[in-house]
C-alpha cells in the first residue's frame, strides 16, 4: 500500500500499540473454523504481548485441525473468562458472528476492541479497525504491530506468523502475493524459520485417507457455463467411504482452480442439511459479492458461505449467482 492509505495504516498501528501498552489486560482470539492465518496470528500476538510484559490471554475453546496443532503447541489457552482485561484483539475475522460466543460476550466488557483483518467483507466492528485488504494475511499485519510494540522478534513469534503467511498466500502463489508478503517472509526467515521444514509439516504430511478422498473428489469435477466454472464436490458419502474427518479437508479447491480457461472454481462440501461453499476467482469475478449475498464473506478472489439445502440445489444457486455476476461484466 502506498500513499495516503499507507500513512493511515501506520498511524492506526501506532494508535493500537499505545492502547495495548496502556491496557490492564488483553484478550486475543480469532475466527471459528480456524485456518493457518487465524491460529498463527493469534498465537504470535499473544506471545508478543507476553514478551512485552502485557497481561494477555489467548482465548480459545474450540477444535484446532490436526494439521495445525503444532502451531498452538506449548501455548497457555484460556477457556474461562480472565479476571483482569479491558482490551480485545480480534484477528483475521470479518465479523462478530465468526467468533466463539464466549469470546464475543467478553468483548462487551472491553473498553477497546481492536479489529485487525484483511477481509473485504469486514464489518468494521471494532473501536479501532486496522483493516487492509491489500495485506496477504492477518499475520503480515500482526507483524507490523508486533514491531511497533518494540517486541524483539523471536523464533516462537515468527513461526506462527510464517504459517499464516504461507497458508493465506498458497505458498506465495495467489494474487494476494506481493512485495510486502515476501519482505515479511524475509523478516521471519531471518530469525530462524526454515521454509522447507514448515512446507513438509504442512504439505507433505497427509494421511493416506486424505489422498484417497481427494481421488474421489477429483472424479467429481465438472465444468459449467461453457468451461468458465469448475465445480468440485465432497459428498457425505465420500467422507464416510474414506472414514475421513471433514475438518481435515483442505486445499481440494486448488485442483478445480488449476483447470485451464476457467474464471471461478467452486467447492461444495455436504454437511448435515447444508452445504459449505468455497469459491476462488482467477480473474475479475468478485466472489466475495456472492458469498456476502448468501450470508458469508471473504476476499475478492477467495470467499465462502454456508447454504441450506441439498448439494444439487445449492450448486444451482451458486451457478445462478455466478451467471448473473459474470453477465454483468460483459
Ligand atoms: Mn487470513
Amino acid at each position: 500500500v502506498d500513499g495516503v492509505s499507507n500513512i493511515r495504516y501506520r498511524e492506526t498501528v501506532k494508535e493500537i500499540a499505545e492502547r495495548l501498552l496502556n491496557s490492564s489486560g488483553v484478550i486475543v482470539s480469532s475466527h471459528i473454523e480456524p485456518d493457518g492465518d487465524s491460529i498463527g496470528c493469534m498465537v504470535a500476538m499473544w506471545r508478543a504481548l507476553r514478551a512485552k510484559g502485557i497481561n494477555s490471554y489467548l482465548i480459545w475453546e474450540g477444535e484446532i485441525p490436526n494439521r495445525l496443532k503444532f502451531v498452538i503447541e506449548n501455548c497457555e489457552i484460556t477457556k474461562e473468562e480472565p479476571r483482569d482485561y479491558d482490551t480485545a484483539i480480534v484477528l483475521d475475522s470479518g465479523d462478530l458472528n465468526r467468533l466463539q460466543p464466549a469470546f464475543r460476550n467478553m468483548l462487551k466488557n472491553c473498553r477497546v476492541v481492536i479489529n485487525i483483518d484483511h477481509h473485504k467483507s469486514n464489518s468494521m466492528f471494532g473501536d479501532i479497525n486496522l483493516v487492509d485488504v491489500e495485506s496477504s494475511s492477518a499475520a503480515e499485519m500482526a507483524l507490523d504491530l508486533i514491531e511497533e510494540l518494540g517486541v524483539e522478534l523471536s523464533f516462537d513469534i515468527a513461526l506462527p506468523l510464517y504459517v499464516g503467511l504461507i497458508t493465506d498466500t498458497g505458498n506465495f502463489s495467489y494474487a494476494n502475493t506481493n512485495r510486502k508478503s515476501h519482505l515479511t517472509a524475509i523478516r521471519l526467515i531471518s530469525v530462524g524459520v526454515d521454509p522447507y521444514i514448515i512446507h513438509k509439516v504442512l504439505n507433505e504430511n497427509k494421511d493416506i485417507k486424505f489422498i484417497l478422498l481427494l481421488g474421489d473428489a477429483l472424479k467429481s469435477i465438472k465444468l459449467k457455463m461453457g468451461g468458465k466454472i469448475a465445480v468440485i464436490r465432497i459428498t457425505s458419502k465420500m467422507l464416510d467411504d474414506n472414514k475421513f474427518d471433514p475438518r481435515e479437508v483442505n486445499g481440494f479447491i486448488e485442483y478445480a482452480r488449476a483447470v485451464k480457461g476457467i474464471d471461478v472454481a467452486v467447492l461444495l462440501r455436504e454437511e448435515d442439511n447444508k452445504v459449505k461453499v468455497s469459491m476462488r476467482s482467477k480473474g475479475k469475478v468478485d466472489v466475495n459479492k456472492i458469498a456476502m449475498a448468501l450470508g458469508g464473506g471473504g476476499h475478492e478472489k477467495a470467499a465462502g458461505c454456508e447454504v441450506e439445502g441439498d448439494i444439487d440445489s445449492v450448486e444451482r444457486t451458486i451457478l445462478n449467482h455466478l451467471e448473473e455476476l459474470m453477465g454483468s461484466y460483459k
Side-chain angles (χ1 to χ4, degrees):
V1 201
D2 289 314
V4 175
S5 57
N6 189 22
I7 292 166
R8 184 184 292 166
Y9 179 89
R10 298 287 353 160
E11 280 174 353
T12 309
V13 170
K14 277 204 179 81
E15 186 191 349
I16 293 171
E18 268 165 39
R19 295 291 194 119
L20 291 171
L21 292 167
N22 290 313
S23 73
S24 66
V26 183
I27 53 172
V28 180
S29 196
S30 185
H31 63 76
I32 52 171
E33 297 168 337
D35 57 29
D37 190 30
S38 69
I39 301 171
C41 58
M42 74 180 181
V43 166
M45 188 53 68
W46 171 76
R47 283 190 177 140
L49 293 170
R50 289 242 159 152
K52 192 68 189 170
I54 298 169
N55 198 7
S56 69
Y57 305 92
L58 178 52
I59 310 290
W60 192 258
E61 54 176 356
E63 291 274 329
I64 300 283
N66 287 331
R67 68 196 148 83
L68 293 168
K69 281 195 172 128
F70 75 99
V71 182
I72 204 161
E73 248 170 36
N74 307 319
C75 290
E76 195 181 303
I77 297 171
T78 305
K79 291 181 198 282
E80 308 206 328
E81 187 178 4
R83 267 178 300 142
D84 47 346
Y85 67 97
D86 62 359
T87 305
I89 304 184
V90 188
L91 293 147
D92 197 38
S93 308
D95 66 71
L96 296 172
N97 292 328
R98 296 281 289 154
L99 303 177
Q100 292 175 328
F103 179 73
R104 195 164 55 226
N105 283 331
M106 292 178 208
L107 297 184
K108 293 172 190 144
N109 307 322
C110 289
R111 281 191 303 117
V112 190
V113 173
I114 298 163
N115 168 17
I116 300 178
D117 188 30
H118 65 132
H119 289 90
K120 195 180 181 188
S121 55
N122 194 286
S123 64
M124 302 290 177
F125 55 82
D127 298 303
I128 309 178
N129 299 293
L130 184 70
V131 175
D132 179 26
V133 298
E134 305 285 319
S135 286
S136 70
S137 52
E140 196 176 294
M141 304 172 73
L143 179 57
D144 290 333
L145 176 57
I146 288 166
E147 292 194 333
E148 183 65 38
L149 282 165
V151 176
E152 195 187 335
L153 188 59
S154 66
F155 175 80
D156 285 346
I157 294 171
L159 178 113
L161 292 177
Y162 190 80
V163 170
L165 181 65
I166 63 159
T167 51
D168 262 26
T169 58
N171 307 304
F172 304 107
S173 68
Y174 300 153
N176 61 2
T177 304
N178 55 27
R179 182 173 176 273
K180 189 181 170 192
S181 43
H182 279 93
L183 289 171
T184 302
I186 293 170
R187 284 140 87 192
L188 303 176
I189 291 168
S190 302
V191 295
V193 174
D194 183 326
Y196 184 55
I197 289 176
I198 307 298
H199 170 72
K200 273 199 290 192
V201 170
L202 285 173
N203 304 319
E204 299 183 347
N205 204 18
K206 310 283 190 218
D207 190 314
I208 185 65
K209 286 190 269 183
F210 178 101
I211 306 297
L212 296 173
L213 174 68
L214 174 62
D216 288 348
L218 290 178
K219 284 184 214 140
S220 80
I221 295 185
K222 285 194 173 64
L223 296 181
K224 301 282 178 179
M225 289 174 61
K228 292 290 174 203
I229 311 288
V231 181
I232 181 169
R233 291 181 169 203
I234 303 170
T235 63
S236 303
K237 185 176 183 310
M238 289 178 199
L239 290 162
D240 288 347
D241 286 351
N242 291 287
K243 296 183 178 58
F244 195 79
D245 180 349
R247 287 166 301 190
E248 300 299 328
V249 170
N250 179 250
F252 283 24
I253 198 168
E254 299 308 317
Y255 297 90
R257 187 211 293 254
V259 178
K260 177 167 71 177
I262 66 147
D263 290 333
V264 177
V266 178
L267 170 79
L268 304 171
R269 175 159 73 73
E270 281 183 325
E271 192 179 277
D272 305 324
N273 37 18
K274 59 186 193 232
V275 177
K276 296 207 167 213
V277 181
S278 302
M279 293 171 282
R280 300 288 183 269
S281 170
K282 285 167 76 170
K284 56 188 173 180
V285 181
D286 181 353
V287 289
N288 179 53
K289 280 189 184 160
I290 298 172
M292 286 189 81
L294 295 168
H299 313 275
E300 244 177 70
K301 291 191 165 57
C305 53
E306 283 180 13
V307 185
E308 299 222 350
D310 65 274
I311 198 162
D312 291 321
S313 70
V314 172
E315 181 179 297
R316 276 194 300 276
T317 303
I318 298 293
L319 290 174
N320 286 341
H321 274 88
L322 280 166
E323 197 147 29
E324 197 177 321
L325 187 59
M326 291 165 78
S328 72
Y329 290 127
K330 282 171 193 147

